[in-house]
């Protein structure tokens, strides 16, 4: 008769084995021995005397018995060695089970007189059913634990296949996708490309068979409902060689970790932003010192000369006039700096949108041309107004004083680059919803390389060094805050043409929605 | 028949790797910075002439002192997209370190350097420095996940190189 080998379900624990003895096999002279991995008996009980093994007490060595080799050969999948002949002449079925820290042996009487007429195959079958039933009952405990941990376990077989051992949790089924009439594909490779990749990485660890653990690190899957499902996988080889893959849905820890990283990195970004801002401010400070120092040096020098007792009155007047020019220049610079920073800080500054109180672009342009005409003439440059002959107001969204500053900046910019004998024209057009103002000179125009950041703070404008970039930056931020636009293009004649599109102030319709 | 190719997105944190993937896959962009923890994989089919290529886009977390990219993630990659933030010059150093690590792990595979956030004015990576990288053999594209500039082009260009390899 061939000897049937009855494999017990994987994961059978020692308490389960004891349960088996109590419940199903009491009539077969059960006895059991539990040893540690070194073979030292830690527990022994039942009818050991029936098998002539009553000297096997805790502390004794299992190697003294004839079936010791089988005990040490027990693997993670418990098995039954039927009808093993013992030293006292009796035969016993040996049920062997290994756990990470212990080896368990159950002895059940296999003598013919005990079996009676029942065929051994039948008994083996019944035994297997009993064991599976008990194992299923006992498995509820780890199953519940796995569920609480939001984890599933795959067993890694000798054939390299991964088999789901635990109950598939809802997120696993969601991940697999629900298909009517078809079971979901729950293999790791089918579930996720990341998991497929990790299983390939873990194959080496499983093949080595040494107790070890490899974690995948977190990854995130998107479930069919669009929610994100953070997961982590762990490949394990247990002390007894058991190989498994644990896939766990990450919850609180992951959220905490994410929040920590988010905070830390946001802080770094803020720090870097502040550092850059400080660098800009330092640059600005250098510019201010440089630009304010120039006029002041002239003024100080002139004042020193004025103290000379031999100075004639005409010369003194000249020095005073020069000092006054430089003092005003310095004042303009200070005003510009204040404008730039107040433009940034006072983002919510009020401006006029009502046509009745909004600044009149026509009046502003005409006044500027009139006021600046003499200073242009002194430099040998003609300043002309290029506007239709019309006296209607052109109210634009904005603030009168600041609009004047914007256009003055453009005018001064043009004067700096206009060659002697050339003309600077200031254009004004009514575009319906917009009012277009342009300032065009006949200078060299803007270097194409710097056009892109012409209106940025410290953009490499047409001037080198000093306050370069601040003026046009102020113009842009101011005009844009009013809903308008500002830009540069090359003039037809080759000079520079700066334009502003200002939003025309329209009468407010009380019934219309306001943005 | 579609072939499947793996692309890893590599770079420092907050350079816009996730934004680039989202722009390419879903044509969406958000200004809100949301750090990536671990790995997120997106899929996108690309048609290259007669061939259809299914791209598996591995959006890896940013490299910094808090999270280091595992070299094992790179295995099986057919191409790499390195991403630097054009407004943060230091992120290019991270890219160069990652490039070396990738070479040590999987050898030379087709790769492109994306200098992202090119829509922002505060550029710290100037043309001279990028030209020097191109002279070393890098393919460099200035991209903006916000405006979509060069994003599609970057992925398609890399795919074409992977398929040709």
């Amino acid at each position: 008769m061939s000897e049937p080998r009855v494999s017990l379900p994987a994961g059978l624990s020692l308490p389960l084995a004891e349960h088996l003895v109590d419940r199903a096999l009491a009539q077969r002279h059960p006895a059991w021995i539990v040893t540690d991995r070194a073979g030292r008996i830690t527990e022994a009980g039942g009818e050991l005397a029936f098998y002539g093994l009553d000297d096997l007490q805790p502390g004794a060595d299992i190697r003294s018995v004839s079936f010791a080799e089988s005990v040490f050969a027990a693997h993670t999948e418990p098995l039954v060695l039927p009808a093993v002949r013992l030293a006292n002449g009796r035969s016993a079925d040996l049920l062997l089970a290994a756990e990470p820290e212990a080896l368990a042996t159950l002895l059940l009487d296999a003598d013919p007189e005990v079996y009676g007429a029942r065929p051994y195959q039948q008994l083996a079958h019944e035994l297997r059913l009993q064991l599976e039933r008990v194992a299923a009952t006992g498995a509820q405990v780890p199953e519940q634990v796995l569920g609480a941990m939001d984890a599933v376990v795959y067993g890694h077989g000798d054939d390299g296949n991964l088999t789901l051992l635990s109950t598939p949790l809802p997120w696993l089924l969601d991940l697999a996708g629900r298909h009517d009439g078809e079971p979901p594909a729950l293999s790791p490779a089918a579930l996720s490309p990341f998991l497929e990749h990790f299983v390939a990485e873990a194959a080496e660890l499983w093949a080595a068979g040494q107790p070890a653990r490899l974690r995948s690190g977190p990854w995130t899957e998107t479930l069919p409902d669009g929610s994100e499902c953070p997961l982590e996988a762990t490949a394990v080889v247990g002390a007894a060689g058991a190989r498994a893959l644990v896939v766990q849905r990450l919850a609180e820890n992951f959220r905490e970790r994410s929040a920590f990283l988010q905070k830390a990195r946001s802080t770094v970004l803020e720090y870097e932003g502040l550092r850059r801002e400080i660098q800009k401010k330092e640059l600005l400070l250098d510019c201010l010192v440089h630009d304010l120092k120039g006029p002041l040096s002239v003024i100080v020098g002139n004042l020193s000369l004025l103290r000379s007792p031999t100075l004639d009155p005409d010369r003194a007047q000249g020095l005073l006039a020069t000092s006054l020019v430089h003092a005003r220049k310095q004042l303009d610079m200070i005003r510009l700096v204040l404008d730039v920073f107040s433009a940034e800080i006072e983002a919510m500054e009020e401006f006029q949108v009502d046509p009745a109180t909004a600044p009149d672009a026509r009046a502003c342009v005409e006044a500027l041309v009139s006021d600046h005409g003499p200073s242009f003439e002194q430099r040998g440059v003609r300043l002309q107004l290029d506007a239709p002959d019309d006296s209607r107001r052109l109210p634009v969204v904005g603030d009168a004083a600041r609009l004047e500053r914007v256009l003055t900046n453009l005018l001064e910019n043009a004067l700096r680059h206009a060659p002697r004998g050339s003309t600077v024209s200031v254009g004004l057009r009514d575009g319906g919803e917009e009012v277009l103002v342009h300032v065009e000179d006949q200078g060299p125009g803007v270097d194409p390389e710097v056009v892109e950041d012409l209106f940025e703070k410290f953009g490499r404008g047409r001037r080198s060094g000093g306050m370069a970039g601040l003026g046009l930056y102020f113009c842009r931020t101011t005009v844009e805050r009013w809903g308008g636009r500002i830009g540069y293009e090359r003039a037809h004649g080759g000079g520079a043409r700066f334009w502003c599109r200002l939003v025309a102030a329209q009468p407010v319709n009380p019934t219309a929605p306001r943005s | 028949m579609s072939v499947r190719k793996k692309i890893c997105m590599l770079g420092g944190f907050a350079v816009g790797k996730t934004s680039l993937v989202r722009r390419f896959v879903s044509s969406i962009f958000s200004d809100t910075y949301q750090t990536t923890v671990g790995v997120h994989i997106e899929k996108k089919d690309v048609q290259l002439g007669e061939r259809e290529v299914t791209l598996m886009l591995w959006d890896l977390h940013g490299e910094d002192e808090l999270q280091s990219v595992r070299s094992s993630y790179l295995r099986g990659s057919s191409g790499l997209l390195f991403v630097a933030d054009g407004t943060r010059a230091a992120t290019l150093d991270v890219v160069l370190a990652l490039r070396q690590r990738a070479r040590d792990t999987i050898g030379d595979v087709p790769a492109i350097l994306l200098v992202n956030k090119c829509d922002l004015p505060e550029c710290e990576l100037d043309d001279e420095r990028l030209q020097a990288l191109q002279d070393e053999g890098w393919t460099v594209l200035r991209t903006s996940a916000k405006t979509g500039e060069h994003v599609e082009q970057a992925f398609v260009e890399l795919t074409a190189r992977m398929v040709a390899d």
Side-chain angles (χ1 to χ4, degrees), chain A residues 138-198:
Chain A
Q140 288 176 3
V141 176
E143 196 71 56
Q144 288 167 7
V145 172
L146 284 172
M149 294 178 69
D150 231 356
V152 294
V153 177
Y154 291 85
H156 183 271
D158 291 334
D159 56 2
N161 289 328
L162 287 160
T163 307
L164 186 64
L165 298 179
S166 59
T167 303
L169 296 171
W171 57 262
L172 191 74
L173 294 171
D174 284 341
L175 202 56
R178 297 178 192 277
H179 306 287
D180 290 342
E182 290 181 19
L186 297 175
S187 73
L191 285 173
S192 151
F194 181 90
L195 210 44
E196 180 184 19
H197 181 274
F198 179 65

Side-chain angles (χ1 to χ4, degrees), chain A residues 205-399:
Chain A
L205 174 130
W206 286 321
Q210 298 300 314
R213 194 171 63 166
L214 177 67
R215 296 173 67 174
S216 71
W219 87 98
T220 304
E221 296 284 349
T222 304
L223 298 180
D225 65 359
S227 62
E228 295 204 325
C229 179
L231 300 163
E232 183 163 33
T234 307
V236 182
V237 177
R243 290 158 295 177
L245 174 72
V246 181
V247 184
Q248 184 179 17
R249 179 177 177 142
L250 303 173
E252 197 57 37
N253 282 350
F254 182 78
R255 279 195 290 273
E256 287 175 2
R257 187 177 175 190
S258 299
F260 167 73
L261 286 171
Q262 179 77 33
K263 181 71 180 171
R265 287 172 169 168
S266 296
T267 303
V268 171
L269 290 176
E270 284 171 18
Y271 168 76
E272 288 178 355
L274 285 172
R275 186 172 52 79
R276 279 196 295 269
E277 200 58 35
I278 289 170
Q279 285 174 343
K280 285 181 186 174
K281 294 283 194 293
E282 286 174 348
L283 182 59
L284 171 69
L285 195 60
D286 286 346
C287 291
L288 291 176
V289 169
H290 176 270
D291 283 359
L292 294 177
K293 188 179 172 187
L296 200 57
S297 298
V298 174
I299 295 168
V300 169
N302 288 356
L303 290 175
S304 301
L305 288 173
L306 284 171
R307 295 173 64 188
S308 170
T310 60
L311 194 65
D312 67 78
D314 289 345
R315 174 72 173 143
Q317 284 297 323
L319 290 173
L320 280 172
T322 309
S323 298
L324 195 58
V325 167
H326 281 86
R328 283 181 177 149
K329 188 175 176 185
Q330 199 171 38
L331 195 61
D332 284 346
M333 286 180 183
I334 291 170
R335 190 185 300 152
L336 174 61
V337 171
L338 291 175
D339 280 343
V340 166
F341 286 95
S342 64
E344 288 182 343
I345 294 166
E346 299 169 16
M348 302 304 290
E349 180 191 18
E350 288 185 3
F351 48 84
Q352 303 299 322
V353 296
D354 185 341
T357 53
D360 178 4
R362 185 188 307 279
C364 183
V365 166
E366 288 176 352
L368 282 173
V369 170
S370 172
D371 293 348
H372 284 75
S375 60
F376 274 62
E377 278 178 22
Q378 281 182 352
R379 297 276 298 272
V381 178
R382 180 165 170 259
L383 179 62
Q384 70 175 25
L385 177 65
D386 173 14
D389 189 12
D390 197 336
S391 59
R392 283 182 299 130
R393 289 185 78 241
L394 287 176
V396 292
V397 173
D399 171 79

Side-chain angles (χ1 to χ4, degrees), chain A residues 60-81:
Chain A
D61 196 324
I62 193 69
R63 291 183 183 82
S64 62
V65 301
S66 59
F67 53 85
E69 193 177 334
S70 299
V71 172
F72 284 106
H75 209 262
T76 48
E77 290 195 6
L79 51 82
V80 174
L81 299 180

Side-chain angles (χ1 to χ4, degrees), chain A residues 193-194 196-197 201 215-220 222 228 254 258 261-262 264-266 268-269 272 276 456, chain B residues 4 6 13-14 33-35 37-41 56 58 62 64 66-67 70 72-73 75 87-88 124:
Chain A
F194 181 90
E196 180 184 19
H197 181 274
E201 187 185 350
R215 296 173 67 174
S216 71
W219 87 98
T220 304
T222 304
E228 295 204 325
F254 182 78
S258 299
L261 286 171
Q262 179 77 33
R265 287 172 169 168
S266 296
V268 171
L269 290 176
E272 288 178 355
R276 279 196 295 269
E456 299 304 324
Chain B
R4 202 166 78 153
K6 173 179 172 181
F13 73 93
Y33 170 55
Q34 184 66 47
T35 193
V37 181
V39 182
H40 202 132
I41 300 175
M56 305 303 295
W58 283 51
D64 63 2
L66 299 173
Q67 273 189 306
R70 291 167 60 145
S72 62
Y73 290 162
R75 295 201 183 103
T87 68
R88 291 153 62 212
E124 285 190 357

